[in-house]
Amino acid sequence: MAIKHFLQFNDLSTAELNHIFARTQWIKAQFKAYQQYWPLQDRTLVMIFEKASTRTRLSFEAGIQQLGGSAIYLNTRDSQLGRGEPVEDAAQVISRMSDLVMIRTFEQDIIERFAANSRVPVINGLTNEYHPCQILADIFTFIEHRGGDISSIKGKTVAWIGDSNNVCNTWLQAAELLDFNVHVSTPPGYEVEPERANLYGNSHFETFVDPMEAAKGADLVTTDVWTSMGFEAENEERKRDFADWQVDADMMKVANKDALFMHCLPAHRGEEVAAEVIDGKQSVVWDEAENRLHVQKALMEYLLLGKV
Ligand code: CP
Ligand code: NVA
């Protein structure tokens, strides 16, 4: 069987996504019922972090352990990865000693090169371009809050307010596969680059100059930090440029009455989101964070065992 990687969202087909969401429901229910499920006994996940993380590390490490396997954490500070060893060489070595690799890094090219030299599946735990595991969790969270029907996101409108970053690009790929629409509003100069987002077309997203227009009638309003990891030097400039792109209560009012609010976290209250929104009734950010655990368990099961 050819090795299956998850380097960007559209590495999975619609059918594969539906399988993973269905497995997530089952795996989560087993976990909540304290039922042991160890399909990945003796399997080793290597996690490579070139950027900081709380949720991604925790959810992958806990997730593989709960499936019966174990995890090894590597970072650039105290491994040879930060000292110029070619990524191709690292991939050869790491993939001979493990069953699965998760990487959080900078350019997408790095993870692509690693995967091209890996004997085992590679998962993108965030790059400058994409954050596919996050959107798996976000869509699963939407489905759960809409009664558990996997097709419930079809035809819906997601409003993306803020930076056209890795999380935004991934929403755009997901919209094409699962047939929903994304209304994007970014400040001038921070617009979506469809090529960077690697889209098939532009039929599933629409851009809006005014963030209030983007939020109008949305089923889900979502945003992310104004300054992503790796872009810290632009922080002050971005704070000025993004000042009018805060998701606040007035913005939530123009969305659908039952609209959900999501944020991948970590969040900055008073910047991209007002405290009253992220801590308010429509916010599902804690479910969203928890679901990283459950969807990634289903993802790891699929990449290693196929359709069980
Ligand atoms: N949302 C997310 O990926 O969080 P971490 O940066 O804490 O992993
Ligand atoms: N866009 C953010 C997401 C963090 C989980 C970043 O890349 O820093």
Side-chain angles (χ1 to χ4, degrees), residues 95-112:
S95 70
R96 283 178 184 233
M97 300 190 195
S98 60
D99 300 286
L100 187 60
V101 178
M102 183 247 91
I103 306 180
R104 169 167 286 193
T105 187
F106 292 89
E107 290 78 28
Q108 183 70 12
D109 175 60
I110 299 172
I111 199 168
E112 303 274 352

Side-chain angles (χ1 to χ4, degrees), residues 87-89 91-93 95 112-119:
V87 65
E88 291 79 4
D89 294 1
Q92 292 282 355
V93 174
S95 70
E112 303 274 352
R113 282 162 50 211
F114 191 104
N117 289 278
S118 173
R119 290 184 166 194

Side-chain angles (χ1 to χ4, degrees), residues 49 52-57 104 125-126 131 134 229 264-266 292:
F49 283 91
S53 167
T54 298
R55 279 144 289 265
T56 303
R57 176 176 178 182
R104 169 167 286 193
L126 181 147
H131 196 0
Q134 183 65 51
M229 291 181 279
C264 66
L265 306 175
R292 290 290 301 278

Side-chain angles (χ1 to χ4, degrees), residues 16-27 140 150 298:
E16 288 174 314
L17 287 166
N18 286 336
H19 168 79
I20 286 171
F21 291 135
R23 289 300 297 161
T24 304
Q25 282 172 338
W26 185 84
I27 287 171
F140 183 77
I150 290 167

Side-chain angles (χ1 to χ4, degrees), residues 254-295:
V254 302
N256 277 346
K257 234 190 154 94
D258 66 348
L260 302 174
F261 172 77
M262 289 190 195
H263 189 308
C264 66
L265 306 175
H268 298 78
R269 288 170 177 76
E271 291 188 17
E272 74 274 6
V273 61
E276 59 188 349
V277 171
I278 192 167
D279 299 321
K281 281 203 179 73
Q282 287 163 281
S283 172
V284 293
V285 295
W286 312 128
D287 292 339
E288 192 187 351
E290 179 190 326
N291 282 332
R292 290 290 301 278
L293 173 71
H294 308 299
V295 291

Side-chain angles (χ1 to χ4, degrees), residues 30-154:
Q30 293 292 110
F31 179 70
K32 296 284 177 186
Y34 298 97
Q35 291 299 312
Q36 196 178 76
Y37 178 54
W38 281 6
L40 302 185
Q41 208 164 0
D42 296 331
R43 306 289 180 115
T44 304
L45 166 72
V46 170
M47 308 184 297
I48 301 170
F49 283 91
E50 299 206 274
K51 290 175 178 171
S53 167
T54 298
R55 279 144 289 265
T56 303
R57 176 176 178 182
L58 186 59
S59 53
F60 271 105
E61 193 163 338
I64 190 87
Q65 280 176 21
Q66 290 163 15
L67 294 175
S70 58
I72 295 171
Y73 171 81
L74 293 178
N75 64 34
T76 25
R77 257 192 330 277
D78 50 25
S79 70
Q80 300 287 8
L81 293 164
R83 301 184 61 252
E85 181 167 12
V87 65
E88 291 79 4
D89 294 1
Q92 292 282 355
V93 174
I94 291 167
S95 70
R96 283 178 184 233
M97 300 190 195
S98 60
D99 300 286
L100 187 60
V101 178
M102 183 247 91
I103 306 180
R104 169 167 286 193
T105 187
F106 292 89
E107 290 78 28
Q108 183 70 12
D109 175 60
I110 299 172
I111 199 168
E112 303 274 352
R113 282 162 50 211
F114 191 104
N117 289 278
S118 173
R119 290 184 166 194
V120 302
V122 178
I123 298 173
N124 181 343
L126 181 147
T127 56
N128 289 351
E129 286 82 0
Y130 310 113
H131 196 0
C133 294
Q134 183 65 51
I135 304 309
L136 280 182
D138 293 5
I139 290 171
F140 183 77
T141 306
F142 186 89
I143 291 167
E144 265 192 327
H145 279 270
R146 290 292 176 266
D149 178 358
I150 290 167
S151 65
S152 56
I153 196 151
K154 192 175 156 92

